[in-house]
Amino acid sequence: MTRLFAGTPFDIPPECDLCGRVESDCQCTQADKDAAEAQRQREADRLPPEKQTARIGIEKRKGGRTATVIKGLTARANDLPALLSQLQTACGTGGTVKAKDDLIELQGDHTQAARECLKAIGFRVK
């Protein structure tokens, strides 16, 4: 026997997590590896909807306009743009994501439709 640890993980050369090749033959760039690590971190930070509570309210704007505001859903734990598009489809209205403030705004008074859509997804709603 020529190797001390033949057949053990110490004997097996390390492989790239992205392409599966031996690290000496890997052609992945550092940017690819960083992007994959960032994606893994985002997925690890996600919370299931059952563990989150959304708070729905209405804000009056100038000119007599109203906006439905959904708070309590963090951008780190959710994909807010995808959630916004689902809410826009359900309510038939426009809206925006304010990731800095962790809130979703829908144009108009759509509290009931937003509440039903969020409950259907699995969120707790107040």
Side-chain angles (χ1 to χ4, degrees), residues 6 9-11 20 37 68:
F10 297 107
D11 185 45
E37 180 60 32
T68 304

Side-chain angles (χ1 to χ4, degrees), residues 34-98:
D34 291 342
E37 180 60 32
Q39 179 66 24
R40 263 189 244 113
Q41 187 63 39
R42 279 193 300 275
E43 292 300 321
D45 289 341
R46 298 278 188 241
L47 290 175
E50 299 83 30
K51 294 186 177 184
Q52 301 179 60
T53 302
R55 300 184 187 281
I56 300 176
I58 295 191
E59 290 183 0
K60 291 259 185 192
R61 302 290 166 89
K62 65 180 184 179
R65 295 176 296 168
T66 58
T68 304
V69 179
I70 301 168
K71 299 179 183 178
L73 306 176
T74 61
R76 187 172 179 181
N78 296 292
D79 185 10
L80 291 183
L83 184 58
L84 172 67
S85 66
Q86 287 180 332
L87 288 168
Q88 285 176 327
T89 303
C91 298
T93 187
T96 187
V97 171
K98 305 275 179 140

Side-chain angles (χ1 to χ4, degrees), residues 95-113:
T96 187
V97 171
K98 305 275 179 140
K100 184 185 260 186
D101 301 327
D102 285 335
L103 60 89
I104 296 174
E105 291 183 352
L106 297 172
Q107 297 172 354
D109 182 2
H110 298 283
T111 54
Q112 193 60 33

